[in-house]
Amino acid sequence: MKVLLAESAGFCYGVRRAVELARDTAVKTGGCWMLGDLIHNTYVVDELKRLGVRKAASISYLKSGDTVVIRSHGESKQILEQLEGKGILLVNATCPNVRRIQVLAAQAEAEGRTPVIIGDAEHPEVAGIASWCEHPLIFSGPEEVSDWLKHNLEAREVPLTVMAQTTCIRELFETSWKIIKKECTNAKKFDTICTATRKRQFEAAILAAKADVMVVVGDRKSANTKHLTEICKESCSRVFQIEKADELLPDFFSGCSVAGLTAGASTPAGIIKEVYAAMSEEIKAVENNEESFEELLNQSFKTLNTGEKVTGIVTGITPTEVQVDVGAKQSAYIKFSELTDDPAAKPEDVVKVGDEIETYIVRVNDVEGYAELSKKRLDAVKVWENIEQAVEEKTVMEGTVTEENKGGIVVSVKGVRVFVPASQSGQPRGADLSAMKGQKVQLRITEVNRARRRVVGSIRSVADETRRAAQEEIWANIEVGKRYTGTVKSMTSYGVFVDIGGVDGMVHISELSWSRIKTPSEVCKVGDTMEVYVISYDPEKRKISLGVKDHNVDPWQVFMDKYAVGDEASVRVVKLMTFGAFAEVVPGVDGLIHISQIADRRIEKPEDVLSEGQIVDVKITAVDEERKKISLSIRALLAPSVEESVEAEDVEE
């Protein structure tokens, strides 16, 4: 018989940080306060009390100048505001992962989205997160999610941002997300289950599958310990959750050949050590081959070798380096020069405390007990691996055009120079490729020679594929009357072609404007954005007829509402005839200025006085509503000519 100890059992980073902050604060201040239990472990809380960290039943117990350590599960926004308002000094031991979820919830609501939290609504962490937004939704798992969607059909259209309690069981979160993703049209997911929690749960599941008996150590109020127990029960029929070693019974291990041991994130190493020792004593079959707890811990340490990859957790950030816990005896760090190529970036812009980070081991110093790491070097290796993989999988990648080259352009993709031939640039033949400098583009990698550091790509293939997909989308959903925002692609004498998202439609010149125009260039130009609607379409011939004029507006009614007989108006001459000139009164409505009404004298032809496009003032002399005809007169606004005056005097005599 043997005892198997989970590698990640015990304190996680957030809990360890909270306990250390509380201890340091108690020493520095001579005593401080905590609101509720700092972590969910009675023995640790009792130890802190002995050091001077007292527990306040409510804020009313506290006074200005007191120091309060905020527990690792976080606190509500309202409580923090009340504490600051009373002049109380705060030491925020909230786990960085919990704080991230609080920020995500607040940001989601600020963006007009509804925060959805998968977790235990009664847990202080979840209650605290919920306080950072006005209307959060909290579900314990997929059953509650399904029930909510069933009774709230309108919820399928609501923008949702889905996140999880840091200690949530992964299966509950993933199943809940699948339901939301399937049913809701605008949902976004943030995987906020703590990396340490994720690892601990995974190890517990693997260990439970091997063991005849599983022992889970942790406070009964601890949510993550409870979840570990539930996970173990899925693979092992005999699972016991205990708080300390004296709860172990001999009957636990009858008929057992392999016993597994794991512990929640709030369980200190001392208690785990005691439980392990007690289990070893109970299992007599392993007495001759028993390993001490310390030996197991030493065996669990990673061996670091220069040139290898290693994954760790960011534990601290300074202006010059990032400290990383890689599960080894040596302390590990990354110099800022080995963190990123961006000289303007700060370490905290690249990583956050609590982040999982993959690095390359530059040097190991066993004598002084430290290891130098490099994220930058590993990123460079991974980029080339990604580039090579992108060729095989035909992955679409994004980059920035940095320069024009002989025969094409150069695109920087994650720091790698990719040559794109002119024929694959997506631009017309002979186009000025230098205009693309600085643009972000999507492309496929078509050729890689890592030895020569040569990479070739194609923007055109992605653009063609995107356009085909857009075309299929248009044809699948097109209907008469549907409106689109398009771009004028080309012009002819009889109309314009408008791109409505991968498909070109034709707007006839008669549909461009209510006003009478001779050429489309009078109202638009290539590149203009245009609001259009579908008049008709032919899927077989792939032809679409578009309109711009709003036929809900009656130009004649616009004229009748604005003018009456006797009114004056400024009109535009649109056509000259032998008998007079037609002029636009309002867009879509023309009136006739008879040749006799053009001038205050006799004229041979209208063009002797007028020209097309000229703006003139007229008087409306008659309106035929039934036939929708309008008579206009320039002459009526002019002073009588000498000839007319003489004729008038002769008549009077």
Side-chain angles (χ1 to χ4, degrees):
M1 299 182 187
K2 57 183 177 179
V3 179
L4 300 179
L5 173 65
E7 182 181 345
S8 300
F11 277 1
C12 67
Y13 166 74
V15 169
R16 184 182 300 109
R17 174 176 173 269
V19 172
E20 289 175 355
L21 278 173
R23 286 172 178 162
D24 292 346
T25 303
V27 172
K28 291 177 182 177
T29 61
C32 57
W33 296 87
M34 57 183 169
L35 284 177
D37 292 339
L38 187 77
I39 66 171
H40 279 159
N41 189 282
T42 303
Y43 305 102
V44 175
V45 171
D46 288 344
E47 179 199 347
L48 291 174
K49 287 179 183 177
R50 289 191 292 272
L51 292 173
V53 185
R54 293 160 289 175
K55 183 162 68 173
S58 70
I59 296 178
S60 61
Y61 282 82
L62 304 170
K63 61 183 183 297
S64 178
D66 282 345
T67 300
V68 173
V69 181
I70 302 301
R71 58 187 168 182
S72 61
H73 293 118
E75 199 53 84
S76 73
K77 183 179 180 183
Q78 294 77 15
I79 292 292
L80 293 177
E81 289 173 349
Q82 289 178 42
L83 289 170
E84 290 178 346
K86 289 189 70 172
I88 292 167
L89 303 176
L90 302 183
V91 176
N92 200 336
T94 303
C95 173
N97 292 315
V98 175
R99 180 59 191 139
R100 174 175 176 250
I101 307 174
Q102 294 174 348
V103 172
L104 286 174
Q107 286 178 344
E109 203 158 74
E111 294 169 359
R113 307 178 68 84
T114 298
V116 176
I117 306 166
I118 308 300
D120 180 1
E122 302 300 320
H123 194 279
E125 175 190 320
V126 177
I129 294 166
S131 74
W132 290 83
C133 43
E134 294 292 332
H135 305 291
L137 296 173
I138 304 172
F139 303 116
S140 62
E143 292 182 3
E144 289 188 8
V145 171
S146 296
D147 187 60
W148 175 67
L149 289 170
K150 180 179 178 182
H151 294 92
N152 296 273
L153 296 178
E154 70 283 357
R156 290 166 168 78
E157 306 299 325
V158 176
L160 303 177
T161 295
V162 185
M163 57 202 79
Q165 182 179 349
T166 56
T167 55
C168 182
I169 296 176
R170 172 149 297 280
E171 185 179 354
L172 290 179
F173 179 56
E174 293 295 348
T175 306
S176 300
W177 165 246
K178 285 179 182 177
I179 295 170
I180 293 172
K181 184 179 180 182
K182 180 180 178 182
E183 298 292 335
C184 301
T185 59
N186 188 356
K188 185 189 296 184
K189 180 182 82 165
F190 286 95
D191 188 346
T192 54
I193 297 177
C194 170
T195 303
T197 297
R198 202 179 310 167
K199 187 176 181 182
R200 185 179 285 103
Q201 291 178 356
F202 176 76
E203 289 177 3
I206 298 298
L207 196 54
K210 298 178 181 178
D212 303 308
V213 176
M214 276 298 299
V215 175
V216 183
V217 186
D219 196 288
R220 289 183 174 83
K221 298 191 295 293
S222 167
N224 73 82
T225 303
K226 177 184 175 184
H227 291 159
L228 283 176
T229 303
E230 293 170 357
I231 290 168
C232 289
K233 285 181 178 179
E234 294 178 3
S235 304
C236 183
S237 59
R238 296 165 66 188
V239 180
F240 303 98
Q241 182 179 333
I242 64 173
E243 290 189 349
K244 52 184 179 177
D246 59 14
E247 294 180 26
L248 289 171
L249 298 175
D251 292 347
F252 287 1
F253 308 103
S254 58
C256 164
S257 60
V258 178
L261 173 61
T262 188
S266 301
T267 308
I271 291 180
I272 303 173
K273 181 177 180 179
E274 290 175 3
V275 172
Y276 177 81
M279 288 175 65
S280 299
E281 291 176 6
E282 295 291 347
I283 302 175
K284 302 298 182 181
V286 293
E287 289 178 350
N288 295 329
N289 194 34
E290 190 176 68
E291 295 179 286
S292 68
F293 179 76
E294 289 81 359
E295 289 172 337
L296 281 176
L297 287 180
N298 288 333
Q299 288 178 14
S300 71
F301 285 141
K302 295 176 184 175
T303 300
L304 301 184
N305 297 304
T306 301
E308 292 182 347
K309 296 178 185 177
V310 65
T311 301
I313 304 295
V314 176
T315 59
I317 299 174
T318 73
T320 58
E321 67 181 35
V322 172
Q323 292 142 15
V324 182
D325 180 359
V326 294
K329 294 179 181 180
Q330 300 90 342
S331 60
Y333 68 94
I334 308 171
K335 292 179 182 177
F336 181 61
S337 60
E338 291 295 330
L339 185 65
T340 176
D341 278 322
D342 185 356
K346 298 178 181 178
E348 57 268 25
D349 296 333
V350 182
V351 292
K352 300 286 187 295
V353 171
D355 283 356
E356 186 175 82
I357 184 170
E358 190 175 14
T359 62
Y360 174 88
I361 301 173
V362 177
R363 187 162 70 98
V364 179
N365 189 324
D366 290 323
V367 177
E368 297 184 18
Y370 68 85
E372 289 184 27
L373 310 176
S374 172
K375 179 178 181 295
K376 189 168 70 174
R377 297 189 199 184
L378 182 61
D379 287 346
V381 173
K382 290 174 70 174
V383 166
W384 276 100
E385 291 175 351
N386 292 340
I387 292 287
E388 291 173 336
Q389 187 177 2
V391 177
E392 297 177 9
E393 299 180 359
K394 298 182 179 180
T395 308
V396 175
M397 307 192 80
E398 187 173 77
T400 303
V401 179
T402 57
E403 61 183 274
E404 181 186 9
N405 202 324
K406 183 180 179 181
I409 56 176
V410 174
V411 180
S412 175
V413 178
K414 297 182 178 180
V416 175
R417 287 167 55 89
V418 180
F419 173 66
V420 178
S423 62
Q424 297 301 314
S425 68
Q427 299 298 309
R429 181 177 296 179
D432 180 12
L433 298 183
S434 64
M436 296 182 69
K437 285 182 65 175
Q439 290 184 13
K440 286 191 177 297
V441 295
Q442 290 189 320
L443 71 165
R444 276 198 176 85
I445 306 301
T446 56
E447 179 187 336
V448 176
N449 187 324
R450 190 167 177 179
R452 297 177 57 194
R453 303 184 72 80
R454 172 181 166 81
V455 185
V456 180
S458 170
I459 298 172
R460 177 181 170 183
S461 65
V462 177
D464 288 348
E465 184 178 294
T466 302
R467 187 174 181 84
R468 284 195 296 271
Q471 289 174 345
E472 294 306 317
E473 176 72 16
I474 292 288
W475 285 110
N477 298 288
I478 196 170
E479 57 186 35
V480 173
K482 190 166 185 177
R483 294 186 172 274
Y484 295 94
T485 299
T487 303
V488 178
K489 296 298 290 294
S490 61
M491 305 175 70
T492 68
S493 60
Y494 53 85
V496 299
F497 287 94
V498 178
D499 182 349
I500 57 174
V503 177
D504 290 349
M506 172 71 180
V507 183
H508 192 269
I509 190 171
S510 63
E511 283 294 329
L512 277 172
S513 172
W514 283 111
S515 299
R516 189 180 303 191
I517 58 175
K518 287 186 175 181
T519 64
S521 59
E522 293 180 40
V523 294
C524 65
K525 62 182 182 299
V526 173
D528 280 357
T529 298
M530 186 175 286
E531 299 295 326
V532 297
Y533 63 91
V534 178
I535 295 176
S536 63
Y537 62 93
D538 186 337
E540 293 184 5
K541 295 182 179 180
R542 294 272 165 154
K543 290 186 177 181
I544 303 174
S545 177
L546 303 172
V548 175
K549 295 193 305 189
D550 186 354
H551 289 276
N552 292 321
V553 176
D554 182 356
W556 180 259
Q557 189 60 49
V558 172
F559 166 77
M560 292 297 293
D561 291 342
K562 188 173 182 179
Y563 295 106
V565 174
D567 287 351
E568 296 180 16
S570 290
V571 300
R572 180 172 63 90
V573 178
V574 294
K575 193 168 185 180
L576 298 174
M577 309 293 288
T578 57
F579 53 83
F582 286 100
E584 181 184 74
V585 185
V586 297
V589 177
D590 296 343
L592 174 64
I593 310 173
H594 191 269
I595 191 171
S596 64
Q597 298 299 313
I598 290 176
D600 56 0
R601 65 187 185 279
R602 293 184 182 89
I603 59 174
E604 294 295 325
K605 49 187 182 301
E607 50 263 41
D608 290 343
V609 177
L610 300 176
S611 59
E612 290 186 6
Q614 183 179 352
I615 304 297
V616 295
D617 292 331
V618 299
K619 185 174 183 178
I620 300 172
T621 57
V623 176
D624 185 340
E625 292 188 43
E626 184 176 346
R627 297 168 64 192
K628 295 185 177 180
K629 291 183 178 293
I630 304 168
S631 295
L632 307 173
S633 173
I634 298 173
R635 180 178 177 180
L637 299 179
L638 301 175
S641 66
V642 174
E643 183 181 342
E644 288 178 319
S645 299
V646 171
E647 289 177 354
E649 289 175 3
D650 292 341
V651 170
E652 288 176 1
E653 291 176 357

